[in-house]
Amino acid sequence: MDIFVGSIPFKFKDQDLVDLFSPFGEVKSAKIVIDKTTRQNKGFGFVEMGDRKSGTAAIKKLNGSDQMGRAIVVSEANKDKEGQRIDKAPRDWHKPKKKNDNIITFGD
């Protein structure tokens, strides 16, 4: 089961996630997302648990729990139709909006 973990303290490392989730069952992998330019963690990551039962127990127990002064958010990771985890695409706020040539205006 893939689990999303948000509001992670910036001092957290991958091993901290493993240590946090391992009391609930087998942790296959744990990865905190790191910013490429600043090399600082982005405050969220993913944990893969061995089975759904242990993953569900971890979500129920850890969601909202205090970790280094921050209440973490723990939920099942979103997946697409093929079962692949959906990572949010970067926002394109800096790109100009497409011009819609289908708009017709009359008068001033």
Side-chain angles (χ1 to χ4, degrees):
M1 173 180 207
D2 284 334
I3 299 172
F4 168 81
V5 186
S7 295
I8 296 173
F10 293 114
K11 293 183 180 183
F12 251 44
K13 304 290 182 210
D14 293 344
Q15 186 59 45
D16 294 320
L17 282 181
V18 172
D19 295 342
L20 187 62
F21 281 82
S22 57
F24 300 97
E26 177 193 7
V27 176
K28 289 186 174 182
S29 67
K31 184 70 178 160
I32 295 176
V33 178
I34 305 293
D35 186 278
K36 291 179 184 178
T37 54
T38 64
R39 305 296 303 153
Q40 182 177 357
N41 104 32
K42 288 190 170 189
F44 69 94
F46 298 93
V47 174
E48 184 181 358
M49 298 291 290
D51 59 61
R52 178 166 285 286
K53 184 178 177 183
S54 60
T56 303
I59 290 171
K60 287 180 181 177
K61 196 73 165 178
L62 295 175
N63 187 35
S65 68
D66 184 89
Q67 303 298 322
M68 294 183 183
R70 295 187 75 165
I72 62 171
V73 176
V74 184
S75 64
E76 188 170 355
N78 293 330
K79 295 187 177 187
D80 63 12
K81 292 178 185 175
E82 288 82 37
Q84 298 295 318
R85 189 172 66 220
I86 299 173
D87 292 327
K88 300 286 184 185
R91 294 184 199 137
D92 293 333
W93 58 268
H94 62 283
K95 292 183 180 179
K97 292 182 180 179
K98 287 185 177 181
K99 183 178 178 183
N100 190 347
D101 293 329
N102 297 331
I103 297 174
I104 300 172
T105 59
F106 297 98
D108 292 331

